[in-house]
């Protein structure tokens, strides 16, 4: 985003999720896709929070359930291209891990009982082979912010 997120004087609108992930916003219809920039907000007389709330509402309307407080790991793969974005629908909870290795995969599960080495290796493998990679990391969701999990790695 820092290298390519500005077009002239108007940068992309974004919201930080913590660590190294952020959300950018897109107006997506059947014939085009446009990234929302500051100039759009100025013309629409809206702010980032307005666009963020609309994006979350649109994700909720798409109908794919995201676990609120899963007792076991859940993988969301609806096939609609918005699974990674559904991270915005996960409610913060103590001991909750999430991963978005590619656009079409959201992993959510409790931290307790996870084999972090295997989980981290699996997410790295998915991201390495994805057509639309997002992040190979596993994150801990704390207070609505994502922090990378520092765990043991396979040799």
């Amino acid at each position: 985003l820092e290298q390519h997120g500005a077009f002239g004087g108007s940068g992309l609108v974004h919201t930080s999720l913590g660590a190294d992930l952020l959300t950018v916003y897109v107006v997506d219809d059947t014939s085009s896709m446009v990234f929302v920039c500051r100039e759009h907000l100025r013309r629409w007389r809206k702010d980032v929070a307005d666009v963020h709330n609309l994006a979350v509402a649109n994700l909720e309307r798409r109908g794919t359930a995201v676990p609120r407080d899963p007792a076991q790991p859940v993988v969301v793969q609806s096939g609609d291209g918005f699974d990674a974005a559904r991270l915005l629908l996960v409610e913060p909870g103590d001991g909750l891990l999430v991963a978005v290795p590619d656009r079409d995969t959201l992993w959510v599960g409790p931290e307790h009982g996870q084999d972090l080495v295997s989980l981290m290796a699996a997410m790295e493998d998915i991201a390495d082979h994805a057509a639309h990679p997002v992040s190979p990391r596993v994150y801990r969701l704390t207070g609505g912010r994502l922090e990378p999990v520092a765990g043991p790695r396979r040799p």
Side-chain angles (χ1 to χ4, degrees):
L1 181 69
E2 289 175 7
Q3 294 174 359
H4 304 290
F7 307 99
S10 189
L12 292 179
V13 174
H14 65 281
T15 301
S16 174
L17 298 175
D20 56 352
L21 291 178
L22 52 86
T23 300
V24 295
Y25 305 93
V26 176
V27 177
D28 189 8
D29 65 26
T30 57
S31 62
S32 67
M33 182 176 89
V34 177
F35 286 89
V36 176
C37 65
R38 289 189 301 259
E39 181 60 21
H40 289 115
L41 294 185
R42 188 188 67 74
R43 278 191 262 151
W44 299 336
R45 296 186 181 122
K46 300 292 181 187
D47 61 22
V48 177
D50 294 325
V51 173
H52 183 82
N53 291 336
L54 179 60
V56 170
N58 286 342
L59 283 171
E60 287 174 335
R61 274 195 295 276
R62 291 195 72 84
T64 299
V66 176
R68 297 294 184 209
D69 188 17
Q72 298 294 322
V74 175
V75 178
V76 178
Q77 292 180 309
S78 70
D80 68 2
F82 295 100
D83 295 314
R86 286 185 173 88
L87 172 62
L88 299 174
L89 301 178
V90 176
E91 291 189 19
D94 291 338
L96 194 59
L97 298 179
V98 298
V100 286
D102 72 18
R103 177 191 75 182
D104 301 312
T105 304
L106 169 63
W107 184 97
V108 181
E111 185 169 3
H112 179 73
Q114 295 304 320
D115 177 351
L116 283 177
V117 172
S118 295
L119 178 60
M120 294 170 103
M123 295 306 118
E124 287 174 4
D125 186 56
I126 293 169
D128 286 347
H129 295 95
H132 306 283
V134 176
S135 175
R137 293 181 167 186
V138 174
Y139 298 88
R140 181 176 294 109
L141 189 58
T142 305
R145 305 283 294 165
L146 296 173
E147 299 299 329
V149 172
R153 299 268 180 163
R154 287 190 173 167

